[in-house]
Amino acid sequence: MKSPLVARNAALAYRPFDLDTIGAGLVFGESLGELAKVLAAGGTAGTAVVQAPPGTGKTTLVPPLLANIALADTAAGAVTGKERPRVIVTQPRRVAARSAARRLAALDGSRLGDRVGYTVRGESQTGPGTIIEFVTPGILLRRLLADPGLEAASAVILDEVHERGLETDMLLGMLIEVRELREDLTLVAMSATLDAPRFAALMGGAGVGQGTDGKDDGGGPAPVVDCPSALHPLKVDWAPAAGPRLDGRGVTRTFLDHVADTAAASYTDTLAADPDIDALVFVPGAWEVSSVASRLRARLAVRAPDTEVLELHGQASPAEQDRAVSGREPGGPPRIIVSTALAESSLTVPGVRLVIDSGLSRELRRDANRGMSGLVTVSCSRASAEQRAGRAARQGPGRVVRCYEQKTYGAAPAHPTPEIAAADLTGAALVLACWGSPGGRGLALPDAPPQGAMDDAIEVLRELGAIDPDGLATDVGKTLARIPADPRLARALLDGAATVGHRAAAEAVALVGGDQRAPGADLTRLLATLRTGKDPAARRWAEDVRRMEAIARQERSAVGPSPTARPSRPSPASAAESVGFVVALAFPDRVARRVPGTGPERYLLTSGTRAGLPAGSPLAGHEWLAVAEVSRAEGRDAAGTGAVIRSAAPLAADAAEAAANHLLSDMVEAEFKQGRVTARQVRRLGAILLSSTPVRPSIDDGRVAVARALAKEGLGTIGWSPAADALRRRLALLHRELGEPWPDVSGPALLARLEKWLAPELEALAGGAATSGIDLAEPLRRLLPWPEAARLGELAPEWLEVPSGSRVRIDYPDAADDGGRPVVAVKLQECFGWAETPRLVGGRVPVLFHLLSPARRPLAVTDDLSSFWSGPYAQVRAEMRGRYPKHPWPEDPWTAPATARTKRKM
């Protein structure tokens, strides 16, 4: 028999959440009953999509509802094998996970980490009694790979699915598969926008056609639970700037001034009416947050000196983020929070009734030609603009001031671009390979990954030894997937530890994998700052380093050499070299060398991409760099290359070759130009030329060079002599009119039969002969058909004898001209009395005459001499006889003698 104390503790453990207390004042409380009902109904029981606008309380109320259902099932014995139910809730951002857990714990009256907790990268507040756990999608992905059945969970809630984060999309597909094996697992997706039917179809098995293989299980969609908007009246004002928001360098400084001026003026007026109101300013990135915040502090120093200006973005420390989203303390000063999209949908900032919106956001874009993804600044979608505006009307009547024109809002896309359509998919491809769905095949994803991007990612994984020929994860791949970093960084952590040491490798990987922006793109300077411990991000970085170092020591023995194994080299002499070496191991395709020349610094990457450096970067002048991040850009920093290096570290030349040795090539490159084959011994690192020395080409190299030149530039590379060109034109006309056996002498046809008619000359060119000694006329005769060749002069003669006795060359049409006519240009007087136009090719093709003046200027063009003499000749005679009186212009051209002479010499 259990003691009374044990029984009392058990009762406390299964105490349900008080939904009335937690949901007081929250609109979604009205929808809780409907959600509970659909989760218990037949059909697609255990799945639902919640569609509720921001601020309705879905993130606060749905998790404890599912926890109460799970607690009741556990207490009733409906679920076996679980000592305590666990409801896992994903939040797209760490600050949102912490904030949601903190708020729910406070409403529950429990300590954070007891019944309600959270886990994010490098930080966890949970305990053995935790029932509801908020996590980021990456945390849950790794748990799924370690435990595909997710046996410890009773329910999973995917929040903010409308944001279309890559990891959330994958989680949705993977959890749909988990539910096929675990009907007891409750799965709920929550969206703040009107796209719930799409997710409902996927979860119910009726819309898998949106995935990668088009399967349809035939089931109905999951139930959708709606909730009315919680917004109070919202006033929308438009305050466009006089100048452009963006230029080639990004957000213009004049526009940031305009945003700061608009925010300062609007908030000053708002404070005068209600001193309890706070404001939220949306700008696209961390740099703009800092810039606008500093401008606001300067402007409000006079207008509202007590106002506190806070910054909210991904690079801020957890403490700074939590402070910004926690609301004003009782009796505290007025606050303006300047934020990125971090505060757009997954966070509620208490007290905000005024929003200033720049209308800009950072979105991923992929440059398929360069194989490069990066953040670009674009106009935010209409859905994002509505989410931002809604922040002002959650707790009372609010106002949004949009710093752009209303027509710009109307022209914006309806929704942001899904991350899967623009991201580097290497990490996602590894997760899918570990899950058993290479490339996403068979998985119910909202959108299929772009094939080109997925192919690139799979190729990277092959180079890392992470997947087998079937695309499934190898033991190495499974090891890399356990490391919370990009697969390339994970491999560099393990490979680099052997050369630079576990600690240095861990520092470099934590540095590149963190959120901090390297000043002037210099990772070594960022490393020095973080090592001092004075930077706000230093504590999180140090924790990441400790975790990565432990992983490196634990996992290194489980991973053999990479398929593109780098040879060992002496340990780098400095921390800067260590960082560069590890970065180069991770991204050998981004090892870069300085391009010689004046002007802004330009670097050539081994991938072939060129990129500039930010102005004033400490990295300027370094011959070699290991680039961790490069993105598309315009303006001065890009130096005309279309890309800029965002983070890198100096690299020694031997380290560059050691880290990217699989890209090294040393070969003879023969080239056929200026009529002769030349060759050089060329050593390259990818696209980077290391050395080039003239050498004598071999006959094989010469053959390759000649063939390559002919394929690219055609037979014009050798050159057509007048005789060769004339013969080719005659043969082309015969082939056009008579067909076989007369040969096709078009460029493609000749190139396809080189060995038949040009082999000796090609061999001579490959051996070093010059084109000046080769005439293509004789080789071309090798294509003449026999015995038909005997009639060449009859069917397509070179010359035509005219009535004057002169022999005039026939100008045949170009070989590529399918409708051209043979032309004879002759003085009109040499054709007197000629009634019937000559015909070639056995009478099939009439000659086109260009009848010339004595000065050999054109007078008429005709292929019917009889008609010309009977008609137009009279007008030509009337116009020309006075101009050329020494030449005959008889009234009767039929009987006049044809002549090439003047009247006196006749």
Side-chain angles (χ1 to χ4, degrees):
M1 177 180 291
K2 294 183 179 179
S3 71
L5 181 59
V6 171
R8 178 176 176 274
N9 288 340
L12 288 173
Y14 291 109
R15 174 175 63 86
F17 289 87
D18 186 344
L19 296 179
D20 291 334
T21 300
I22 293 172
L26 296 178
V27 176
F28 193 79
E30 302 173 9
S31 302
L32 280 180
E34 181 185 357
L35 179 58
K37 181 179 178 181
V38 300
L39 290 176
T44 52
T47 65
V49 177
V50 171
Q51 181 173 279
T56 53
K58 62 182 182 298
T59 304
T60 301
L61 279 171
V62 175
L65 170 66
L66 266 62
N68 283 355
I69 294 174
L71 284 168
D73 289 343
T74 302
V79 177
T80 61
K82 291 185 176 66
E83 295 182 2
R84 183 182 302 275
R86 175 69 63 97
V87 176
I88 301 174
V89 189
T90 65
Q91 289 294 318
R93 300 170 184 87
R94 283 171 284 182
V95 61
R98 291 194 303 266
S99 176
R102 187 178 293 109
R103 173 175 170 77
L104 182 55
L107 291 173
D108 181 53
S110 60
R111 189 175 62 182
L112 180 65
D114 286 349
R115 283 161 50 93
V116 180
Y118 68 86
T119 300
V120 298
R121 191 183 75 186
E123 185 181 359
S124 181
Q125 286 274 7
T126 60
T130 299
I131 300 173
I132 298 174
E133 180 186 17
F134 291 86
V135 302
T136 50
I139 296 293
L140 184 52
L141 274 177
R142 280 190 288 277
R143 287 186 188 174
L144 267 174
L145 294 183
D147 176 18
L150 208 63
E151 299 297 338
S154 303
V156 176
I157 302 171
L158 301 178
D159 202 359
E160 313 295 350
V161 293
H162 64 276
E163 291 193 9
R164 297 303 311 281
L166 174 57
E167 292 179 326
T168 300
D169 277 5
M170 288 195 298
L171 279 173
L172 181 62
M174 293 162 71
L175 288 167
I176 289 172
E177 286 195 352
V178 172
R179 282 209 79 252
E180 294 176 1
L181 302 176
R182 275 197 59 198
E183 294 183 356
D184 64 311
L185 178 68
T186 301
L187 177 60
V188 175
M190 301 202 296
S191 172
T193 59
L194 301 177
D195 54 359
R198 180 179 199 179
F199 298 103
L202 284 171
M203 294 169 64
V208 187
Q210 292 290 340
T212 62
D213 67 350
K215 290 195 310 181
D216 188 343
D217 293 338
V224 176
V225 176
D226 288 308
C227 176
S229 172
L231 295 182
H232 295 272
L234 177 68
K235 181 183 179 185
V236 180
D237 291 327
W238 304 91
R245 293 186 296 172
L246 300 171
D247 61 15
R249 299 179 61 187
V251 184
T252 63
R253 297 180 186 276
T254 54
F255 180 67
L256 293 178
D257 285 334
H258 173 71
V259 172
D261 289 339
T262 302
S266 300
Y267 192 51
T268 301
D269 294 342
T270 299
L271 280 179
D274 188 343
D276 293 330
I277 290 178
D278 289 342
L280 184 58
V281 181
F282 283 102
V283 291
W287 180 83
E288 290 83 5
V289 166
S290 177
S291 180
V292 170
S294 64
R295 286 168 164 83
L296 277 172
R297 293 183 185 104
R299 287 159 173 75
L300 293 172
V302 176
R303 297 183 185 182
D306 294 335
T307 302
E308 186 177 22
V309 179
L310 301 175
E311 301 180 21
L312 178 60
H313 52 80
Q315 297 177 32
S317 68
E320 291 172 324
Q321 292 177 346
D322 293 344
R323 182 164 175 260
V325 302
S326 295
R328 190 192 301 189
E329 296 179 358
R335 306 190 323 155
I336 295 182
I337 299 96
V338 186
S339 176
T340 61
L342 206 64
E344 191 173 290
S345 64
S346 54
L347 289 170
T348 295
V349 184
V352 170
R353 300 266 294 282
L354 172 66
V355 167
I356 311 297
D357 185 12
S358 69
L360 298 174
S361 66
R362 291 270 203 276
E363 289 192 14
L364 271 172
R365 291 290 186 272
R366 184 173 186 269
D367 186 335
N369 292 329
R370 301 186 187 196
M372 181 173 65
S373 295
L375 292 171
V376 296
T377 305
V378 296
S379 292
C380 71
S381 67
R382 296 195 301 276
S384 293
E386 292 303 315
Q387 298 260 7
R388 295 175 181 187
R391 294 292 163 187
R394 293 189 177 181
Q395 296 176 311
R399 176 187 177 211
V400 59
V401 182
R402 289 175 172 153
C403 299
Y404 52 99
E405 294 181 304
Q406 191 168 359
K407 65 180 182 181
T408 302
Y409 169 83
H415 299 283
T417 302
E419 189 179 356
I420 197 171
D424 181 313
L425 299 181
T426 307
L430 180 57
V431 170
L432 294 171
C434 290
W435 188 251
S437 300
R441 291 195 299 272
L443 209 59
L445 298 173
D447 284 297
Q451 193 59 52
M454 182 56 72
D455 289 344
D456 291 344
I458 288 172
E459 182 58 32
V460 170
L461 295 180
R462 284 199 183 98
E463 293 176 357
L464 296 175
I467 57 175
D468 63 20
D470 295 326
L472 297 172
T474 61
D475 290 340
V476 170
K478 294 173 183 177
T479 298
L480 298 181
R482 289 195 293 269
I483 301 175
D486 179 282
R488 290 162 291 197
L489 285 171
R491 182 84 213 203
L493 172 69
L494 304 181
D495 291 347
T499 301
V500 303
H502 296 94
R503 177 73 179 182
E507 285 186 333
V509 169
L511 190 71
V512 176
D515 297 326
Q516 301 77 35
R517 177 67 67 183
D522 187 358
L523 286 170
T524 58
R525 177 169 291 190
L526 175 61
L527 175 63
T529 301
L530 292 174
R531 279 176 168 175
T532 65
K534 298 178 181 179
D535 188 278
R539 180 179 176 182
R540 181 191 298 171
W541 173 77
E543 292 171 352
D544 288 344
V545 171
R546 284 193 291 272
R547 188 167 69 256
M548 292 294 178
E549 184 178 4
I551 291 172
R553 296 183 185 279
Q554 176 182 343
E555 301 284 6
R556 181 66 190 97
S557 59
V559 178
S562 168
T564 54
R566 288 70 155 167
S568 60
R569 66 183 295 271
S571 297
S574 66
E577 287 189 11
S578 294
V579 173
F581 185 64
V582 173
V583 171
L585 285 175
F587 306 107
D589 57 321
R590 300 179 197 167
V591 170
R593 190 179 190 181
R594 185 174 177 272
V595 177
T598 58
E601 293 281 84
R602 297 179 182 87
Y603 282 81
L604 174 64
L605 280 62
T606 53
S607 64
T609 293
R610 290 176 181 263
L613 271 177
S617 171
L619 297 173
H622 284 280
E623 182 70 10
W624 289 90
L625 296 177
V627 178
E629 182 185 355
V630 58
S631 62
R632 298 189 308 174
E634 299 295 338
R636 182 180 63 178
D637 289 352
T641 65
V644 66
I645 294 170
R646 300 296 185 188
S647 62
L651 190 65
D654 64 331
E657 294 186 20
N661 78 303
H662 63 295
L663 300 178
L664 272 174
S665 63
D666 193 343
M667 64 180 67
V668 173
E669 292 186 0
E671 186 177 18
F672 184 71
K673 65 178 182 178
Q674 297 179 346
R676 190 180 294 274
V677 173
T678 59
R680 305 183 73 86
Q681 184 79 32
V682 176
R683 194 164 177 267
R684 296 181 185 276
L685 188 65
I688 298 173
L689 179 64
L690 300 177
S691 63
S692 177
T693 307
V695 295
R696 183 180 181 85
S698 68
I699 191 72
D700 290 337
D701 292 332
R703 291 190 189 104
V704 171
V706 172
R708 185 168 54 240
L710 290 175
K712 181 179 180 182
E713 302 175 23
L715 288 162
T717 303
I718 299 175
W720 293 95
S721 68
D725 184 55
L727 176 58
R728 184 188 182 201
R729 288 169 180 255
R730 294 164 67 196
L731 293 175
L733 180 66
L734 292 176
H735 179 75
R736 187 185 84 190
E737 297 298 326
L738 301 177
E740 296 293 340
W742 294 100
D744 183 354
V745 291
S746 64
L750 289 175
L751 289 173
R753 306 170 67 189
L754 287 174
E755 291 299 320
K756 182 172 182 179
W757 68 282
L758 198 58
E761 288 75 18
L762 291 179
E763 198 69 7
L765 290 173
T771 56
S772 59
I774 294 177
D775 186 344
L776 292 179
E778 188 57 36
L780 204 56
R781 290 186 178 275
R782 297 178 188 137
L783 292 175
L784 290 175
W786 295 98
E788 289 83 355
R791 299 187 62 204
L792 175 62
E794 170 196 342
L795 297 173
E798 291 186 71
W799 307 88
L800 183 66
E801 187 171 340
V802 298
S804 67
S806 300
R807 294 177 74 243
V808 181
R809 182 179 293 277
I810 302 173
D811 184 13
Y812 286 89
D814 187 89
D817 188 348
D818 290 336
R821 304 271 293 280
V823 173
V824 170
V826 61
K827 286 196 294 184
L828 181 147
Q829 285 80 4
E830 296 195 58
C831 298
F832 287 154
W834 207 352
E836 187 174 350
T837 301
R839 289 176 170 269
L840 307 180
V841 195
R844 287 177 173 81
V845 182
V847 172
L848 186 65
F849 281 91
H850 288 196
L851 299 176
L852 309 177
S853 72
R856 303 198 67 81
R857 293 193 178 98
L859 296 177
V861 176
T862 182
D863 62 0
D864 188 347
L865 288 172
S866 179
S867 296
F868 174 74
W869 298 131
S870 300
Y873 169 72
Q875 183 179 351
V876 172
R877 175 178 179 269
E879 294 176 358
M880 295 293 111
R881 62 187 298 193
R883 184 176 298 179
Y884 301 103
K886 296 180 181 181
H887 295 266
W889 298 95
E891 290 187 23
D892 182 6
W894 294 102
T895 58
T899 181
R901 300 172 180 270
T902 60
K903 293 177 181 178
R904 180 181 301 177
K905 296 181 179 180
M906 288 177 61

